Amino acid sequence: MKLLSPSVVALLVASLSFFAGDLLQISRSTEMNTAEEHGIFNVKVPDADSLADYELNLKRQAVNGDAEASRDLNHFLSLSGDELTKLARFLRDEDGSYSDQIEETVDDLEEKGGGKKNFENLDVEVALEEVTNPEISNSNFTTYAASNSVLTRSVSVTTTVKFLGLTMSKTKVAGRYQAKNNRATKVLSTGCTVQANNNPLESISSKKNSAYISNGKASFECKVVVTRYALVKNKRTKLSTRSGIQYVTGSGAGKVLSKGWR
């Protein structure tokens, strides 16, 4: 039996090592191949994992036909290395500085009656926006007696948080109610939804807290709970939990009278 020369053995070992490395890379990139192409794995761990998971969240939504997620995915893939580092820092938010700033911004927008606010130095944008959809659902009266008709009104408000132009989270509180003589008379339903949560190191839940009629106005409240995690040895470890009440109050005419958080 002829022995292989040392140079041939070294070449075989190198080839096997390279092949094994390829297998490892292929297994990891089956779900996140564009993450590798985008250079995400060049940033430090666990940032690489959180960024890859963020991308995967967008991919899943885009595949399901979410146009906003598809736009965010394209934007994400165009980020520079410095921007990826900023995004990873935002996703971690280990000292809670971003969360504190977002809460302060929402409070500020609430005082101003809604709108959007941009913090260029933090690359953060927060929006508190309303959508009103008054509609007549039931009327057994003639047109000239419309003021005495029973109408169905609906109001809703969303809070959106973006970072570097990418949607991070979006929560919505909505309510349907009956009104007569321009006064809310009866609550019909309350909707509390998490429309987007793309941060893999954060979980968000929203559920009905309260809905009531007072002084001819209809109020709807949702309790939103945000739990933040850290990646420790590839496992999510709970860091903190925050909660708040997202609310909207509608008039008998179907207009948003107040909105925000408390």
Side-chain angles (χ1 to χ4, degrees):
M1 178 177 172
K2 184 177 180 181
L3 295 177
L4 297 174
S5 67
S7 60
V8 173
V9 171
L11 180 61
L12 286 174
V13 170
S15 299
L16 288 173
S17 298
F18 179 78
F19 180 68
D22 272 357
L23 287 178
L24 179 61
Q25 191 68 21
I26 290 171
S27 66
R28 186 170 189 180
S29 64
T30 50
E31 289 186 330
M32 316 175 198
N33 56 317
T34 55
E36 181 192 1
E37 293 168 4
H38 192 47
I40 288 177
F41 296 131
N42 292 330
V43 301
K44 64 180 182 180
V45 175
D47 288 355
D49 291 332
S50 60
L51 288 170
D53 287 342
Y54 172 79
E55 181 192 10
L56 188 57
N57 285 344
L58 293 180
K59 279 185 176 180
R60 287 169 174 164
Q61 295 172 65
V63 168
N64 290 329
D66 190 320
E68 184 175 24
S70 181
R71 289 193 297 270
D72 278 354
L73 179 60
N74 289 331
H75 180 41
F76 170 78
L77 294 175
S78 71
L79 295 181
S80 66
D82 288 341
E83 289 172 327
L84 286 173
T85 300
K86 287 183 179 181
L87 177 57
R89 190 180 304 125
F90 176 87
L91 295 176
R92 291 198 317 271
D93 193 22
E94 292 172 348
D95 60 358
S97 58
Y98 282 114
S99 298
D100 290 340
Q101 185 64 67
I102 290 168
E103 288 184 9
E104 292 175 9
T105 304
V106 170
D107 290 342
D108 185 43
L109 289 175
E110 183 178 356
E111 292 179 4
K112 295 179 179 179
K116 295 182 181 181
K117 189 167 184 179
N118 234 328
F119 286 89
E120 293 182 2
N121 59 320
L122 294 177
D123 302 297
V124 175
E125 177 186 290
V126 180
L128 180 63
E129 301 172 305
E130 65 188 61
V131 179
T132 58
N133 300 296
E135 58 181 347
I136 297 177
S137 66
N138 180 31
S139 176
N140 295 319
F141 303 91
T142 55
T143 54
Y144 60 79
S147 62
N148 293 322
S149 300
V150 177
L151 308 176
T152 294
R153 305 297 195 187
S154 63
V155 289
S156 64
V157 170
T158 61
T159 299
T160 306
V161 176
K162 291 188 176 184
F163 185 74
L164 292 173
L166 299 164
T167 299
M168 294 292 120
S169 66
K170 183 184 292 186
T171 57
K172 178 181 178 180
V173 54
R176 295 179 69 250
Y177 56 100
Q178 289 183 342
K180 187 176 180 180
N181 295 327
N182 279 328
R183 291 177 63 84
T185 57
K186 181 181 179 180
V187 169
L188 297 178
S189 63
T190 304
C192 302
T193 54
V194 179
Q195 295 185 308
N197 176 29
N198 297 321
N199 189 341
L201 298 178
E202 189 174 86
S203 68
I204 304 177
S205 66
S206 180
K207 64 180 181 180
K208 178 181 175 181
N209 185 69
S210 180
Y212 55 90
I213 303 294
S214 177
N215 297 321
K217 306 169 187 176
S219 295
F220 305 89
E221 299 179 349
C222 299
K223 182 176 183 180
V224 180
V225 179
V226 179
T227 304
R228 295 199 55 80
Y229 299 87
L231 279 177
V232 179
K233 296 182 179 179
N234 294 324
K235 293 183 179 180
R236 294 204 314 174
T237 301
K238 185 175 177 180
L239 282 179
S240 63
T241 299
R242 298 186 183 208
S243 64
I245 302 299
Q246 185 178 19
Y247 72 90
V248 61
T249 298
S251 70
K255 295 182 179 179
V256 172
L257 297 175
S258 62
K259 58 184 178 291
W261 293 76
R262 50 175 171 256

